[in-house]
Amino acid sequence: MKKGVLLFAHNSREIDYARMSIISGSLAKHYLGLPVSLVTDASTISWMQTSDCYDKAIDVFDKIIEADTVEYSNYRRLHDGPMPSLVPFINFDRSMAYDYTPYEQTLLIDTDFLIFSNRLNEFWDSSDTVLISSAMQDICDKSRAGYQDRYVSDTGVHLYWATTVMFTKNEYSKIFFDLVKHIKENYNIYSDLYSFFNVTQYRNDIAFSIAKHILDGFSTDTSSTLPPIVTTIDKDILHEVKKDLLVFLITPKNDSSYVLASSKGVDIHVMNKQSIIRNYDKLMESL
Amino acid sequence: MDDRLKAALDFANYSQSFAIQKKILKEKIEAKLTYGIKGGIFKIDRSLITYVQMLIDQGRADNIPLIDSNGNPILIENLIDFRDEILDRYFSSSVEYYEKFEEMKKNRTIEKLVDL
């Protein structure tokens, strides 16, 4: 198969990534008109079977690829609106996308990236074989993005967002993904080299950014990239879904005050994962 | 709370929602102005349209290299078809932007603004 979309989903105790992958996969399939495959694990498949969403998964996904069970997980502080919690998440095998993908050309997306347009289809014929999103674009008029949303560290290189990655299988992209694996396996060393200090939490964005920086000849080249990712942060809340209209509660000052906003026809990164799951039925009905 | 202050704070909330809605609308329009062809990515704007039209007016319409938004040279075999495509996308996007923006301006409550 030539083109397709690939997602990774490994359930944790807190977040039902399987259900999120069904939403995100369904939207990608609908709006891009492409087959979608899922990389997951035995435990997540088992959960899908017991929670009655496996039939839907079979319907949505062209292939469900069972990866080896990942033994360890990251922890990070995530909000569900104003409520913070420390949640585990498994993101170590995203560097294996090259090995798992059944497609010659792959759009790799996060399960919290919801596609509502065919914009990304414009990039399939790009002469660049690995494209990563250049930046995050906060939905708020005044960006709430901090320095570490734009750079690997205070003195580090440009941070690309691995929320969307498009690649064509060839010698270059294999080198790229092999390098990401190498960076992941030697994360401590690269934290010294690239001056980032949170080594307890592995970030794909950082590993992909360093790999791109190295392969661009130790320089920043933001020209060959996917568009910036329109993002709602985890303190924002996906409040309601009406067909393809998403209504959000947005906290412009990143505090406990909220205003209403909505989006329609725009690809959007919804970092409040719990609020995606709460709207599972409505999002699925919208298709 | 003083009614005058409440009215002002309500309007402040409306203004913040309006600013976000406008940003999302601009993003939606910008997405429609991204054009991928022959391995290149073009951001359609007035200067691209004008330049392409100037080339056509001078009788240069076949096998023309254009520099795309990433700075890469892309050979466009049929510049008239290219012009028609970018003009159509720019025009329809501008119309959509105008219509949606006018609609937004008319909606003076947050509920209507976000289409609740």
Side-chain angles (χ1 to χ4, degrees):
Chain A
M1 272 171 291
K2 203 165 183 304
K3 294 174 193 164
V5 181
L6 189 70
L7 293 109
F8 283 74
H10 300 289
N11 270 10
S12 69
R13 285 195 309 275
E14 304 285 337
I15 297 173
D16 191 347
Y17 283 97
R19 219 168 267 270
M20 281 172 55
S21 73
I22 292 172
I23 296 168
S24 180
S26 300
L27 290 167
K29 189 175 175 179
H30 179 78
Y31 285 97
L32 297 176
L34 293 169
V36 182
S37 288
L38 174 70
V39 179
T40 185
D41 55 78
S43 149
T44 304
I45 290 173
S46 170
W47 166 251
M48 283 196 273
Q49 286 163 342
T50 53
S51 66
D52 294 332
C53 64
Y54 193 62
D55 286 347
K56 191 67 196 172
I58 287 175
D59 181 43
V60 170
F61 297 116
D62 168 37
K63 286 187 170 55
I64 296 177
I65 301 153
E66 189 178 323
D68 296 336
T69 303
V70 183
E71 289 172 5
Y72 47 93
S73 62
N74 265 336
Y75 280 85
R76 69 177 158 185
R77 192 178 166 85
L78 267 183
H79 286 80
D80 177 8
M83 300 296 292
S85 56
L86 196 63
V87 298
F89 69 106
I90 299 164
N91 65 342
F92 290 99
D93 58 352
R94 221 158 177 274
S95 55
M96 301 285 287
Y98 184 95
D99 307 278
Y100 285 129
T101 185
Y103 310 113
E104 286 168 41
Q105 285 187 287
T106 303
L107 172 64
L108 173 65
I109 58 171
D110 278 357
T111 53
D112 56 1
F113 184 67
L114 307 182
I115 290 178
F116 285 95
S117 80
N118 64 356
R119 182 186 200 182
L120 288 169
N121 275 342
E122 297 287 344
F123 292 82
W124 289 111
D125 293 332
S126 170
S127 49
D128 297 294
T129 52
V130 179
L131 295 167
I132 311 177
S133 179
S134 56
M136 73 92 100
Q137 187 175 320
D138 191 347
I139 195 172
C140 255
D141 192 39
K142 293 186 179 95
S143 177
R144 295 163 294 179
Y147 203 79
Q148 291 189 351
D149 293 317
R150 287 175 282 154
Y151 299 94
V152 164
S153 70
D154 290 352
T155 54
V157 298
H158 181 88
L159 183 75
Y160 298 89
W161 281 66
T163 308
T164 56
V165 180
M166 188 179 273
F167 64 95
T168 303
K169 270 197 161 188
N170 61 19
E171 198 180 337
Y172 174 84
S173 56
K174 183 167 185 344
I175 291 171
F176 180 88
F177 279 96
D178 283 347
L179 181 56
V180 173
K181 284 178 212 166
H182 169 77
I183 293 164
K184 183 187 71 178
E185 287 158 13
N186 298 279
Y187 206 58
N188 282 338
I189 294 168
Y190 281 91
S191 77
D192 281 342
L193 287 172
Y194 280 83
S195 308
F196 58 93
F197 302 109
N198 187 0
V199 289
T200 53
Q201 182 194 311
Y202 169 73
R203 251 185 104 178
N204 278 305
D205 297 325
I206 290 180
F208 278 67
S209 295
I210 293 172
K212 181 163 167 52
H213 180 254
I214 292 171
L215 291 182
D216 284 342
F218 295 97
S219 64
T220 298
D221 176 12
T222 53
S223 61
S224 309
T225 52
L226 293 176
I229 295 165
V230 178
T231 300
T232 61
I233 63 171
D234 54 347
K235 280 189 180 173
D236 300 333
I237 299 165
L238 176 57
H239 173 64
E240 193 167 356
V241 176
K242 284 184 176 179
K243 294 189 178 173
D244 58 344
L245 178 83
L246 306 185
V247 180
F248 292 95
L249 285 164
I250 304 288
T251 170
K253 291 175 190 155
N254 207 0
D255 56 15
S256 56
S257 62
Y258 283 86
V259 296
L260 275 169
S262 63
S263 77
K264 192 174 188 177
V266 175
D267 301 343
I268 193 157
H269 184 206
V270 181
M271 292 177 88
N272 184 333
K273 296 160 201 344
Q274 302 287 19
S275 72
I276 297 178
I277 296 162
R278 280 196 293 275
N279 284 284
Y280 175 84
D281 290 336
K282 284 183 181 173
L283 282 162
M284 295 307 289
E285 278 168 20
S286 72
L287 294 168
Chain B
M1 186 189 296
D2 186 316
D3 285 348
R4 290 168 300 180
L5 179 60
K6 187 180 180 308
L9 292 177
D10 286 347
F11 190 78
N13 281 342
Y14 170 84
S15 298
Q16 288 185 83
S17 289
F18 187 89
I20 296 170
Q21 293 305 109
K22 187 178 172 188
K23 187 172 180 181
I24 294 169
L25 179 58
K26 276 171 82 175
E27 175 59 30
K28 185 178 176 182
I29 298 303
E30 210 162 282
K32 292 188 174 183
L33 295 175
T34 305
Y35 180 35
I37 180 172
K38 307 269 291 177
I41 294 290
F42 290 88
K43 189 176 176 215
I44 305 168
D45 57 18
R46 283 172 296 189
S47 67
L48 178 66
I49 294 168
T50 307
Y51 177 60
V52 166
Q53 186 59 48
M54 275 181 65
L55 288 169
I56 292 168
D57 289 347
Q58 290 181 351
R60 299 175 187 188
D62 298 325
N63 297 315
I64 305 294
L66 293 179
I67 312 298
D68 79 351
S69 301
N70 293 335
N72 296 322
I74 307 297
L75 189 70
I76 305 297
E77 286 158 8
N78 187 331
L79 201 62
I80 291 173
D81 286 352
F82 181 87
R83 186 263 328 261
D84 291 347
E85 181 66 30
I86 61 171
L87 193 58
D88 184 52
R89 287 194 190 204
Y90 193 84
F91 182 73
S92 60
S93 298
S94 302
V95 169
E96 185 181 347
Y97 191 18
Y98 171 74
E99 287 175 352
K100 300 272 184 199
F101 192 66
E102 285 300 303
E103 205 179 306
M104 272 174 60
K105 284 198 295 185
K106 281 181 202 156
N107 294 326
R108 303 302 293 177
T109 66
I110 292 177
E111 288 77 9
K112 282 185 183 168
L113 188 64
V114 301
D115 206 7
L116 267 176

